[in-house]
Amino acid sequence: MSKALKDSHIMFMRCLTKTLRSPEAVTMALVVPLVMMVLFGFVFGGIADIEGFNYINFIVPGIIIQCICNSSGATALSVHNDMSKGIIDRFRSMQIAKSAFLSGHVWLAIVRSMIICIMTFAAAFIVGFRPSAGFLDWLVIAGILVLFIIAITWVIVIFGLIASDGEAISGLTFLIMIFTFLSSGFAPPETLPRVLRVFAQNQPMTPVIDAVRGLMHGTQLNGEIMLAVAWCIGITVVAFIVAVQIYKNKLTK
């Protein structure tokens, strides 16, 4: 095992230990998917009319993406706390890989988000979600969701690095949450006003949601999978470069 990988694993275990010491946060992360499914499925499902879809089946991809985005706030706050409480100065004096600090947080965020995805699917089945996807379809769905988790995690790491305080992080993560509503997650973009429709059809969450929904229910896909992968990879590369550069700049101050 390379030194950078070993150091990243140590940082991951450190972040995991800190998370497990906050049972309230862990409980909320597990409860939110069920609450979201009940809220949108039972409260709004009875008044929604989506052509060709049971509303529960329609909204599951959007709920999954929203729960991933919601959980990412914990990563931003954790990064911010480490950057502002002096622990970085201690890490700087130790012989550890500079990349280990960020990668440890990212690894934990990926694991946490994957668990949340599983919990969301479980909650969805409880409230009536019935997909028709086969084994290969589920593998592709898992791959797309992992790519999205990695992309959104690196974006949120940037928020944690640049935020001035916890309140600022709440505002920044709320902006990401807005993207889930202004997408195809909860209503077809065609039903939105013109300006919002154009935005919804051309933002990164829409092809991810459409690809996952199409694979779940066997509907026709017209390049959404490749577009979703391209968006996720592009965002990851850009966000990774920006996050690393910001982190290096802060280390030199």
Side-chain angles (χ1 to χ4, degrees):
M1 181 183 297
S2 68
K3 178 175 174 53
L5 188 58
K6 183 178 180 180
D7 291 344
S8 296
H9 178 260
I10 292 172
M11 288 295 177
F12 164 76
M13 294 305 297
R14 169 184 172 269
C15 294
L16 178 61
T17 301
K18 288 177 59 181
T19 299
L20 294 178
R21 288 175 179 171
S22 177
E24 298 86 359
V26 175
T27 302
M28 284 301 298
L30 298 179
V31 169
V32 165
L34 179 59
V35 173
M36 294 292 290
M37 286 305 310
V38 171
L39 176 64
F40 283 93
F42 289 160
V43 177
F44 299 122
I47 62 175
D49 183 19
I50 306 296
E51 183 178 356
F53 278 99
N54 171 288
Y55 192 61
I56 293 290
N57 289 339
F58 183 86
I59 65 171
V60 166
I63 294 291
I64 291 172
I65 296 301
Q66 191 171 69
C67 288
I68 291 172
C69 293
N70 182 64
S71 72
S72 66
T75 301
L77 187 59
S78 181
V79 171
H80 169 73
N81 287 339
D82 281 347
M83 294 298 297
S84 61
K85 293 184 177 180
I87 191 67
I88 292 299
D89 295 329
R90 184 177 180 183
F91 291 157
R92 194 183 318 181
S93 65
M94 300 169 65
Q95 293 184 345
I96 63 174
K98 291 183 177 180
S99 62
F101 171 74
L102 293 182
S103 59
H105 283 284
V106 170
W107 284 15
L108 177 61
I110 293 171
V111 171
R112 180 172 55 232
S113 294
M114 291 175 67
I115 293 173
I116 287 173
C117 285
I118 294 172
M119 293 298 297
T120 306
F121 278 120
F125 277 103
I126 292 173
V127 300
F129 174 57
R130 296 297 181 267
S132 59
F135 178 73
L136 292 179
D137 295 324
W138 283 112
L139 287 180
V140 178
I141 290 170
I144 292 173
L145 290 177
V146 169
L147 287 176
F148 178 79
I149 290 169
I150 295 172
I152 202 66
T153 299
W154 279 109
V155 171
I156 211 69
V157 164
I158 296 175
F159 288 2
L161 290 170
I162 65 175
S164 57
D165 52 41
E167 288 74 17
I169 289 175
S170 298
L172 291 171
T173 52
F174 178 72
L175 290 177
I176 290 183
M177 293 289 289
I178 291 177
F179 275 67
T180 62
F181 289 106
L182 298 179
S183 69
S184 61
F186 299 96
E190 294 77 17
T191 63
L192 299 175
R194 178 178 174 81
V195 175
L196 296 181
R197 180 172 68 249
V198 172
F199 177 81
Q201 291 173 335
N202 294 279
Q203 62 118 319
M205 290 186 185
T206 291
V208 173
I209 292 170
D210 288 346
V212 171
R213 182 183 292 126
L215 289 165
M216 284 179 176
H217 303 295
T219 57
Q220 184 176 358
L221 293 171
N222 298 306
E224 286 87 352
I225 295 176
M226 293 304 298
L227 187 57
V229 171
W231 266 113
C232 290
I233 293 176
I235 291 172
T236 299
V237 171
V238 174
F240 171 80
I241 293 173
V242 173
V244 170
Q245 188 59 50
I246 293 173
Y247 179 61
K248 287 181 177 179
N249 291 340
K250 286 184 175 291
L251 287 182
T252 59
K253 291 182 178 181

